[in-house]
Amino acid sequence: MLDAARDCVLAVGVRRTTLTDVARRAGVSRMTIYRRWPDVRTLVGDLMTREWIAVAVGAMPDAAGTPVRARIVDGLVAGVAEFRAHPLFHKILDVDPELLLPYVLDRRGASQDALLGLITTALAEGHEDGSVRRVHTDLQARSLLLVVQSFALSLRTMTDEGDPHLSDTAFLGELRTLLERTLTP
């Protein structure tokens, strides 16, 4: 059903997607959808959580022989790049950007909580192996999420296609520097 919701949102955006459309695309009854999700926003919230966590997990490099700090930095930078390239993110940003505002201004969502869990675990490992500066782990994780979230959501407002020093690549390099310097003991 989440795949059907993804297809509907990519086709017409969140506001124009109905649970009836999702049920039809999934080949199930509307009541099947309503038993699990009371409305489209709740369904899309679960869809975003699935998609964003998959991006984060997929962006994390393999642990074999790499210091934890390097894995955290590489994973967060790659995660920002992959998140920004994700078609669902593009569709929401282009058609229904107000959907993201509560997660930026008012409250943490399930995706943010899951990302905090991943970051917190990695930071604790980095504290253990000495590759990450020791700070209160939750403070450090939340600060990192604020930084990468701002790059993911607002980067397009700062780039200038005509200036290679202000390109996506240049900003992702600067993000790498910021993360590396803040995490180095």
Side-chain angles (χ1 to χ4, degrees), residues 8-22:
C8 288
V9 170
L10 289 175
V12 298
V14 175
R15 275 188 303 232
R16 293 184 57 208
T17 294
T18 67
L19 290 180
T20 301
D21 296 334
V22 174

Side-chain angles (χ1 to χ4, degrees), residues 1-9 17 21-27:
M1 288 185 267
L2 290 175
D3 290 338
R6 183 181 194 271
D7 292 344
C8 288
V9 170
T17 294
D21 296 334
V22 174
R24 187 176 304 120
R25 194 173 290 249

Side-chain angles (χ1 to χ4, degrees), residues 26-165:
V28 299
S29 73
R30 281 186 321 170
M31 287 315 298
T32 300
I33 300 280
Y34 279 108
R35 279 189 201 106
R36 184 147 181 207
W37 294 283
D39 54 41
V40 170
R41 290 219 181 236
T42 306
L43 174 60
V44 171
D46 286 351
L47 172 63
M48 288 189 306
T49 297
R50 180 189 79 171
E51 297 290 318
W52 306 163
I53 297 309
V55 166
V57 169
M60 206 52 135
D62 187 17
T66 308
V68 176
R69 184 179 73 240
R71 287 196 336 258
I72 294 170
V73 171
D74 290 347
L76 291 175
V77 172
V80 167
E82 290 175 28
F83 181 77
R84 294 189 71 251
H86 197 286
L88 183 63
F89 173 68
H90 275 277
K91 189 65 169 191
I92 291 170
L93 200 58
D94 293 342
V95 178
D96 301 297
E98 70 282 352
L99 185 67
L100 299 173
L101 282 177
Y103 306 111
V104 175
L105 301 175
D106 296 325
R107 63 182 172 85
R108 287 195 319 263
S111 302
Q112 290 160 311
D113 284 337
L115 291 170
L116 282 172
L118 294 170
I119 294 168
T120 300
T121 299
L123 289 171
E125 292 171 11
H127 293 163
E128 278 299 309
D129 80 356
S131 67
V132 172
R133 178 176 59 93
R134 283 189 182 269
V135 176
H136 185 277
T137 309
D138 289 337
L139 172 64
Q140 199 172 29
R142 291 173 187 203
S143 296
L144 289 176
L145 185 56
L146 283 170
V147 170
V148 297
Q149 188 171 275
S150 69
F151 271 78
L153 295 174
S154 301
L155 185 59
R156 75 180 185 172
T157 67
M158 296 295 143
T159 59
D160 181 349
E161 290 181 26
D163 186 343
H165 297 291

